[in-house]
Amino acid sequence: MSHPPEQTHIDSVGTYVKILLALLVATAVTTAVSRVDLGAFSTVVALGIACVKMLLVALFFMHLRHSTKLTRLVVLGGLLWLAILLLLTLTDFATRGILGVPGK
Amino acid sequence: MADHAPTETLALRVQFDTEAQQKDAATLGMWLFLITEIMFFGGMFAVYTVYRSWYPDVFAIASSSLNEIIGALNTGVLLLSSFTMVLAVRAGQLGQQKAIVMFLILTLLFGGVFLGVKAYEWNQKFEEHHIPGQAAFHLDGVLPGDQGHAQLFFSIYFAMTGLHALHMVIGVGILLILIVQARKGRFSASYYTPVDVAGLYWHFVDIIWIFLFPLLYLIDRHLVK
């Protein structure tokens, strides 16, 4: 067997070039927008752009678009655990002192 | 058993039914490893989140002392290396052995440039006395009582960029091994799994930087002129 397995999906170079350009533009945008006063939204915008870049890299460069359902499920599971790590940590740190300490 | 052995190839080991099954298993295994890496870095992102929420103003001043233009250009270099890495994987899919070697070498070069720029940036921090734990540590624009919090930012900066750079160094080692193997003609259209999973690793390290760059370099830059 010298031919690739049938389900191997080969993207064109043009597709990868477009993704690279999108990633570079997003990097320039996030750098430029950090000088603009957006208040609390500056963090939201910065992380939003980073998430878009992550999706582009994961879906195209890491071939998640063509991955098996099991692989995709495992990746989503990993992100779920990361969300638990961050959110449950913040349930402590973000709410400390809200109710005060009895007796003090 | 013995009569099976001669038919075993790199692309189809005896324990798998089909080449596709073997490839899926390799991809899944690599992703599982990457998820342990997500959790590894995740702990540091949690530390970052907590301290930035406690000392937002100091973190903004400390972040603005980093050179965001160099950071952005270096991000571009790393994205370029991911681009050449995915082209190496594509060359593997097509069985173009010379192209695999060429794109792996390009990836190695861009990775090396990234690490070189990183070393330059770290050296700048030493010259500016922005090294946490240094007796001479001083960050302009921060009250004397908040200097410790500024040191916290730089501790997190060095820990996270350092851990990221360590992954890059390991990636460079992997690339060197792959280049040697690719030059020997080990990879073909039916077997390029090492290039494929090394690509997953390289892109993962890229994604970590995609988050590190805005979180470390771009905090509220409008506040500090």
Side-chain angles (χ1 to χ4, degrees):
Chain A
M1 282 231 263
S2 57
H3 58 87
E6 293 103 47
Q7 62 266 60
T8 299
H9 193 288
I10 303 177
D11 285 316
S12 69
V13 176
T15 304
Y16 291 137
V17 170
K18 280 180 205 154
I19 298 302
L20 173 67
L21 290 177
L23 288 167
L24 291 176
V25 168
T27 303
V29 168
T30 195
T31 308
V33 88
S34 69
R35 292 160 186 265
V36 182
D37 186 358
L38 298 173
F41 276 100
S42 62
T43 311
V44 178
V45 170
L47 283 178
I49 293 174
C51 284
V52 169
K53 288 166 78 180
M54 173 188 75
L55 280 175
L56 288 177
V57 172
L59 289 175
F60 289 87
F61 287 179
M62 298 172 95
H63 304 122
L64 269 186
R65 273 196 319 157
H66 309 307
S67 291
T68 59
K69 286 196 174 113
L70 178 61
T71 302
R72 283 185 227 173
L73 188 65
V74 165
V75 175
L76 280 178
L79 292 178
L80 180 71
W81 284 109
L82 179 66
I84 291 172
L85 170 72
L86 294 174
L87 290 177
L88 288 193
T89 303
L90 288 178
T91 57
D92 174 4
F93 286 101
T95 58
R96 275 191 197 179
I98 282 184
L99 295 176
V101 181
K104 274 201 175 179
Chain B
M1 284 304 291
D3 54 337
H4 283 276
T7 61
E8 185 178 11
T9 63
L10 284 174
L12 185 55
R13 300 287 189 178
V14 284
Q15 67 268 34
F16 294 103
D17 289 334
T18 63
E19 290 188 6
Q21 186 196 36
Q22 176 175 335
K23 212 169 166 310
D24 287 345
T27 307
L28 182 61
M30 193 62 197
W31 271 107
L32 279 174
F33 166 69
L34 292 181
I35 282 166
T36 68
E37 290 271 273
I38 290 174
M39 298 311 285
F40 183 35
F41 278 96
M44 308 206 64
F45 279 106
V47 168
Y48 168 90
T49 308
V50 168
Y51 281 116
R52 180 171 163 186
S53 71
W54 279 1
Y55 312 117
D57 301 337
V58 178
F59 267 47
I61 295 168
S63 164
S64 298
S65 78
L66 301 172
N67 187 329
E68 89 275 29
I69 302 300
I70 291 180
L73 290 177
N74 220 13
T75 307
V77 169
L78 198 59
L79 292 170
L80 261 177
S81 80
S82 256
F83 173 69
T84 54
M85 187 73 219
V86 83
L87 290 184
V89 173
R90 184 175 185 274
Q93 291 171 333
L94 294 168
Q96 299 167 337
Q97 299 195 340
K98 280 187 180 161
I100 300 177
V101 176
M102 184 185 78
F103 284 122
L104 286 178
I105 289 175
L106 280 176
T107 309
L108 184 71
L109 279 177
F110 288 128
V113 169
F114 179 90
L115 283 171
V117 172
K118 208 68 227 147
Y120 166 78
E121 286 185 286
W122 282 335
N123 188 49
Q124 287 292 104
K125 296 295 112 192
F126 275 90
E127 288 178 359
E128 293 165 0
H129 300 296
H130 289 170
I131 305 298
Q134 228 180 9
F137 179 92
H138 180 79
L139 181 65
D140 289 337
V142 174
L143 296 172
D146 282 335
Q147 289 290 336
H149 304 151
Q151 292 203 29
L152 256 177
F153 174 85
F154 285 104
S155 296
I156 292 170
Y157 168 80
F158 275 103
M160 293 187 94
T161 59
L163 196 61
H164 178 265
L166 175 66
H167 278 78
M168 293 281 299
V169 170
I170 293 169
V172 163
I174 293 170
L175 284 174
L176 284 172
I177 294 169
L178 285 180
I179 290 167
V180 171
Q181 289 185 337
R183 281 177 62 93
K184 288 179 184 162
R186 187 180 168 87
F187 305 123
S188 64
S190 61
Y191 181 73
Y192 58 95
T193 301
V195 182
D196 202 19
V197 295
L200 287 180
Y201 174 84
W202 193 265
H203 300 312
F204 166 81
V205 176
D206 192 11
I207 286 178
I208 292 293
W209 184 260
I210 282 173
F211 282 95
L212 285 183
F213 171 61
L215 290 179
L216 292 174
Y217 286 73
L218 304 177
I219 304 175
D220 294 330
R221 282 205 165 252
H222 60 88
L223 290 180
V224 189
K225 285 293 170 205

